[in-house]
Amino acid sequence: MKPVLYSYFRSSCSWRVRIALALKGIEYETHPIHLLKDGGHQLSDEYKKLNPMGQVPALVIDGHTLADSLSIIEYLDETRPDPPLFPRNDPHKKAQVRQVSHSIAGGIQPIQNLSVLKYLGDERKFEWGHHWINKGFQNLEKILQNTSGKYCVGDAVSMADLCLVPQVYNANRFKVDMSQFPIISRIHEDLNKLEAFKAAHPSKQPDCPDEMRE
């Protein structure tokens, strides 16, 4: 059976996993989970049997149901090692990949995700999202000064890059001035030339609204 990805087209966490699947050439089926419709399909009892946190993504693969995007990516890299998403035989660079990944996935993205913005309400959510992404990118730019080559860590695509691209998309949604961040912008531009990153873009997903398709 093909793996099944429970995903929302604009979810950063789902997007990271889609890139990993595309890079590794893994064919899969998409089961859309609409985060806004009917109070949020991710909160249904049926879906929470797959992911008790009520979040996307969830990936059914190899007879297992996995949740949490970074955990899924690490599983894919260990079970399907080519192309690698972590440096091989270099513990320091591997740690750098995790540092950049968690700086984004734990330090920036959760502060402006859907559940937080809904709690804040319409009047505050734009200012909040803009502030925290801008602040997070100021710190990330400094980290990348020490870790980056062509990509976030050296010259090979890694899990860190899978985290970066969706976060830049969100920065643009919240109208962050990306000219402040030349390293982030350069890496983002290079990554978006790669076919796996193009295929994983929200506009290419089956649940993307027609008006947002490219």
Side-chain angles (χ1 to χ4, degrees):
M1 293 179 62
K2 285 184 181 179
V4 178
L5 178 66
Y6 292 79
S7 172
Y8 180 61
F9 78 105
R10 206 163 60 180
S11 155
S12 299
C13 301
S14 300
W15 191 345
R16 298 168 195 153
V17 173
R18 293 197 302 262
I19 300 170
L21 291 165
L23 283 168
K24 291 181 177 293
I26 301 170
E27 294 187 7
Y28 65 96
E29 296 179 5
T30 298
H31 188 116
I33 299 294
H34 203 299
L35 302 187
L36 299 172
K37 189 178 292 184
D38 303 326
H41 293 172
Q42 75 278 16
L43 301 177
S44 69
D45 291 341
E46 180 181 3
Y47 181 71
K48 290 182 78 171
K49 291 176 183 178
L50 295 172
N51 185 351
M53 291 296 290
Q55 299 170 343
V56 290
L59 179 67
V60 179
I61 189 170
D62 300 337
H64 307 295
T65 300
L66 307 175
D68 178 77
S69 61
L70 300 193
S71 299
I72 292 171
I73 292 167
E74 292 210 33
Y75 176 87
L76 293 175
D77 201 53
E78 291 180 7
T79 59
R80 294 152 176 88
D82 294 317
L85 295 176
F86 289 90
R88 301 293 190 230
N89 304 314
D90 191 333
H92 178 242
K93 279 196 170 182
K94 193 170 185 178
Q96 288 181 322
V97 169
R98 286 199 171 101
Q99 178 188 6
V100 175
S101 300
H102 287 282
S103 294
I104 298 169
I108 303 174
Q109 184 264 326
I111 302 175
Q112 41 86 118
N113 71 9
L114 179 62
S115 61
V116 172
L117 297 179
K118 286 178 68 175
Y119 181 81
L120 287 166
D122 290 341
E123 290 186 3
R124 295 187 61 199
K125 66 181 182 181
F126 182 85
E127 179 186 359
W128 177 276
H130 180 278
H131 171 80
W132 288 109
I133 296 172
N134 192 73
K135 183 179 178 63
F137 272 13
Q138 289 172 359
N139 298 328
L140 180 62
E141 184 82 1
K142 294 175 183 176
I143 294 172
L144 294 177
Q145 288 175 2
N146 297 318
T147 66
S148 65
K150 183 174 183 180
Y151 301 121
C152 284
V153 179
D155 296 325
V157 172
S158 71
M159 183 170 72
D161 300 295
L162 278 57
C163 295
L164 181 74
V165 166
Q167 192 57 59
V168 174
Y169 180 89
N170 285 334
N172 289 325
R173 284 180 62 204
F174 285 96
K175 301 190 184 308
V176 172
D177 177 10
M178 291 302 298
S179 67
Q180 306 171 85
F181 311 117
I183 301 174
I184 293 174
S185 296
R186 173 185 57 76
I187 295 170
H188 178 258
E189 182 178 354
D190 285 338
L191 289 168
N192 277 324
K193 296 174 183 175
L194 304 178
E195 289 303 318
F197 285 79
K198 293 178 183 178
H201 193 274
S203 65
K204 306 296 185 183
Q205 305 316 305
D207 56 331
C208 179
D210 290 341
E211 64 272 16
M212 296 181 66
R213 292 189 177 278
E214 294 181 355

